[in-house]
């Protein structure tokens, strides 16, 4: 980076150097070197810090100062950091984001904002006290298909929204992976209703321009876990996937197969003992894999949502009903799992020629007393339906004048986790939960 460009760029640090940080680092060096300069890395694990230092060097970057988890404030001061990208595990977000805000920097935090009501209150208080900003990265807002649905609703094509039907299925590559990692314990992730579904609830909040008021949920661990495996007659299994002959079992993830997994996780175990490849049918899983949610919104609309984490295909179906018609969006992110021995961390387009699901994505509008018509979806390359690059442009260049209001602030982040936090409470009590009673710190 030239001295002139560096003088114009904001100074960034990354807190949390697991797999989620990679695209942010790539975006800084490849797409936004004029707006962003990466000046430091922070993580408690030296192995992962070493991996990212080499990754930075692949883009032509030099040695970066490295810091441990207790060094947030020192890093901000010593490196004159302007903004920190937080990609640490979900359960750390509340403490990390709050400390950074009070240290005097703005924060970009990977979804979810945090995992519980105490965390949202903690972040909101730190933001109010510091006067600094928080941006939550909801890249699905930027996917052209989701933006197209938002535009259709905003244009009044279906009139006033009365209800939303939303079905999301995670396949046996991507969905299973949440049951191998730290996400498998609800105390770490808030379960899939917070970690994964905050994406989905944010879409609903954004699509219908409203916020959740009351939530009821039902769910269970019905497929993964040792008890379900035993009930189906599965015999003894290795506790982790990095074992000889792991390739014979599609449920096992061998960290030796993928270079990034080997270096980020297998070779870094010696520093913190974290196992990335636990058996999905092992003990200790406390999150659900089948979930249903009913939510009422302040504008009178109602949401019916379901999530399944062991589907043979991956994608979602959403229908928005209104006083003048109905809009339906169908998205196939992966038509089938035909090779289970690839890094499952991110769903990718994998449409199979001739497969019944290989027509990808459709947005259909049908007004009352009219035939259905298909609405054209702009095509875009890249992750999350083409949304990732648009998101990074907003993050590093600023959102500008966006009629779709895709940039998400702390209130959007709180509203997105509000449904999951309320749903988790409902799962525990069996009763509906009023969101306002949770005192989440909205209104900053």
């Amino acid at each position: 980076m030239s001295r002139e460009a560096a003088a114009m760029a904001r100074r960034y640090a990354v807190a949390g150097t697991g797999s989620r940080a990679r695209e942010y680092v790539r975006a800084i060096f490849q797409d936004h070197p004029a707006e962003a300069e990466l000046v430091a890395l922070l993580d408690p694990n030296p192995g992962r810090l070493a991996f990212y230092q080499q990754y930075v060097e692949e883009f032509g970057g030099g040695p970066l100062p490295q810091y441990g988890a207790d060094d947030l404030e020192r890093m901000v001061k010593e490196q004159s950091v302007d903004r920190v990208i937080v990609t640490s595990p979900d359960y750390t977000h509340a403490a990390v984001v709050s400390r950074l805000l009070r240290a005097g920097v703005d924060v970009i935090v990977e979804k979810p904002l945090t995992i519980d009501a105490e965390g949202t209150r903690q972040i909101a208080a730190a933001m109010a006290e510091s006067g600094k900003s928080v941006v939550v990265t909801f890249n699905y807002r930027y996917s052209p298909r989701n933006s197209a649905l938002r535009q259709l609703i905003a244009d009044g094509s279906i009139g006033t929204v009365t209800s939303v039907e939303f079905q999301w299925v995670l396949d046996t590559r991507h969905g299973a992976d949440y049951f191998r990692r730290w996400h498998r314990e609800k105390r770490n992730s808030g379960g899939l209703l917070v970690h994964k579904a905050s994406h989905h609830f944010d879409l609903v909040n954004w699509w219908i321009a409203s916020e959740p008021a009351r939530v009821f949920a039902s769910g269970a661990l019905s497929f993964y876990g040792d008890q379900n495996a035993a009930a189906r007659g599965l015999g003894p299994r290795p506790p982790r996937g990095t074992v000889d002959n792991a390739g014979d079992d599609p449920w096992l993830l061998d960290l030796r197969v993928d270079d990034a997994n080997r270096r980020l996780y297998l070779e870094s175990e010696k520093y913190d003992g974290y196992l990335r490849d636990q058996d999905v049918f092992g003990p200790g899983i406390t999150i659900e894999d089948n979930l249903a949610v009913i939510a009422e919104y302040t504008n009178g609309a109602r949401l019916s949502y379901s999530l399944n984490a062991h589907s043979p295909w991956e994608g979602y179906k959403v229908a928005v009903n209104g006083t003048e018609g109905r809009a339906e969006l169908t998205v196939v992110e992966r038509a089938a799992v035909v090779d289970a021995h690839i890094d499952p961390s991110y769903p990718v387009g994998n449409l199979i020629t001739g497969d019944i699901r290989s027509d990808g994505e459709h947005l259909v509008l049908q007004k009352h007393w009219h035939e259905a018509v298909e609405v054209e979806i702009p095509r875009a390359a890249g992750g999350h339906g083409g949304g990732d690059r648009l998101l990074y442009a907003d993050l590093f260049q600023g959102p500008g004048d966006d009629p779709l209001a895709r940039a998400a602030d702390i209130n959007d982040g709180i509203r997105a986790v509000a449904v999951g936090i309320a749903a988790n409470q409902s799962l525990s009590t069996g009763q509906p939960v009023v969101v306002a009673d949770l005192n989440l710190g909205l209104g900053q």
Side-chain angles (χ1 to χ4, degrees), residues 5 26 116 382:
R26 182 208 60 78
D116 55 27

Side-chain angles (χ1 to χ4, degrees), residues 16 23 42 49 90 111 136 146 167 185 189 202 239 272 276 280 285 296 320 322 327 346 353 365 409 413 419 424 440:
E23 279 301 298
L42 182 144
L49 285 169
D90 301 353
K111 68 86 192 165
V136 187
N146 297 328
Q167 176 193 42
E185 295 185 59
S189 65
D202 175 69
D272 57 16
R276 170 67 176 79
V280 300
I285 297 174
E296 299 171 353
V320 185
Y346 297 95
T353 302
L365 168 66
D409 63 15
V419 182
N424 278 333
L440 298 178

Side-chain angles (χ1 to χ4, degrees), residues 164 166 193 197 201 214-219 291-296 302-307 419-420 422-424 427:
V164 180
F166 202 162
L193 284 173
F201 300 137
R214 192 167 73 133
V215 176
F216 176 80
S218 176
L291 291 150
V293 173
I294 299 294
E296 299 171 353
R302 283 165 174 78
L303 165 68
S304 172
Y305 171 84
S306 67
L307 175 65
V419 182
N424 278 333
L427 288 174

Side-chain angles (χ1 to χ4, degrees), residues 325-359:
R326 175 179 169 104
E328 300 172 353
L329 175 63
T330 302
V331 176
V332 177
E333 292 190 328
R334 185 158 41 220
V337 179
V338 294
D339 180 1
H341 309 120
I342 298 175
D343 180 6
S345 298
Y346 297 95
V348 295
N350 185 13
L351 302 183
I352 305 165
T353 302
D355 186 274
I356 193 171
R357 300 193 193 280
S358 285
D359 49 359

Side-chain angles (χ1 to χ4, degrees), residues 188-231:
N188 293 335
S189 65
L192 292 179
L193 284 173
V194 172
H195 175 81
K196 182 61 182 175
S198 62
H199 254 326
H200 314 155
F201 300 137
D202 175 69
L203 283 176
V204 175
N205 299 345
W206 177 65
W207 278 330
I208 70 174
S210 189
E211 56 188 273
R214 192 167 73 133
V215 176
F216 176 80
S218 176
L221 181 66
S222 303
F223 183 79
Y224 301 108
D226 56 341
Q227 294 184 19
N228 292 313

Side-chain angles (χ1 to χ4, degrees), residues 7-283:
M8 296 174 59
R10 299 180 74 178
R11 295 173 64 84
Y12 283 79
V14 170
T17 54
S19 60
R20 184 64 68 180
R22 293 173 72 178
E23 279 301 298
Y24 291 94
V25 174
R26 182 208 60 78
I28 287 173
F29 280 95
Q30 282 194 336
D31 300 334
H32 300 285
E35 297 89 20
E37 180 186 8
L38 185 60
V39 299
L41 300 170
L42 182 144
D43 197 282
N45 190 297
R48 287 195 280 275
L49 285 169
F51 174 91
Y52 269 87
Q53 177 57 54
Q54 182 173 337
Y55 188 56
V56 165
E57 291 171 1
E58 292 174 5
F59 293 108
L64 291 177
Q66 298 180 2
Y67 295 84
D70 295 331
D71 298 327
L72 285 168
E73 292 83 2
R74 184 165 67 87
M75 177 188 71
V76 168
K77 182 177 180 180
E78 290 181 353
Q79 305 307 322
S80 300
V81 176
D82 299 311
R83 210 175 190 195
V84 178
I85 300 167
V86 176
T87 50
S88 56
D90 301 353
Y91 65 92
T92 69
H93 285 186
V96 170
V97 172
S98 298
R99 286 175 60 188
L100 289 169
L101 291 169
R102 290 192 169 97
V105 294
D106 296 323
V107 175
I108 296 171
V109 59
E110 179 68 23
K111 68 86 192 165
L113 175 66
T114 184
I115 64 171
D116 55 27
E118 181 181 353
T120 65
R121 292 191 291 267
Q122 185 177 346
I123 293 173
M127 185 175 168
E129 179 183 319
S130 67
K132 307 306 290 186
S133 69
V134 175
V135 174
V136 187
T137 53
F138 290 116
N139 42 18
Y140 265 111
R141 288 187 176 203
Y142 293 81
S143 297
R145 60 213 182 198
N146 297 328
S147 294
L149 178 55
R150 158 82 168 184
Q151 186 68 64
L152 187 146
I153 296 169
D155 288 344
S157 299
I158 61 170
T160 301
V161 173
T162 59
S163 63
V164 180
E165 304 156 23
F166 202 162
Q167 176 193 42
W168 202 292
V169 291
L170 295 165
D171 65 27
T172 50
R173 180 187 297 172
H174 186 205
D177 205 41
Y178 293 110
F179 298 83
R180 298 186 180 101
R181 299 180 281 172
W182 53 263
H183 309 71
R184 73 203 315 250
E185 295 185 59
K186 187 170 283 192
R187 64 179 181 178
N188 293 335
S189 65
L192 292 179
L193 284 173
V194 172
H195 175 81
K196 182 61 182 175
S198 62
H199 254 326
H200 314 155
F201 300 137
D202 175 69
L203 283 176
V204 175
N205 299 345
W206 177 65
W207 278 330
I208 70 174
S210 189
E211 56 188 273
R214 192 167 73 133
V215 176
F216 176 80
S218 176
L221 181 66
S222 303
F223 183 79
Y224 301 108
D226 56 341
Q227 294 184 19
N228 292 313
R232 294 198 299 274
L234 295 183
R237 299 179 54 79
R240 62 180 306 180
T242 306
V243 294
D244 292 339
N245 302 317
D248 298 332
D249 186 334
W251 298 106
L252 295 179
L253 175 66
D254 189 341
L255 296 175
R256 298 169 296 190
V257 174
D258 177 78
D259 183 64
N261 278 342
R262 176 181 58 80
R263 293 168 57 207
L264 272 175
Y265 302 110
L266 183 62
E267 295 177 359
S268 297
E269 289 175 8
K270 59 188 177 185
Y271 298 110
D272 57 16
Y274 171 57
L275 301 180
R276 170 67 176 79
D277 60 343
Q278 296 178 80
D279 180 34
V280 300
F281 298 115

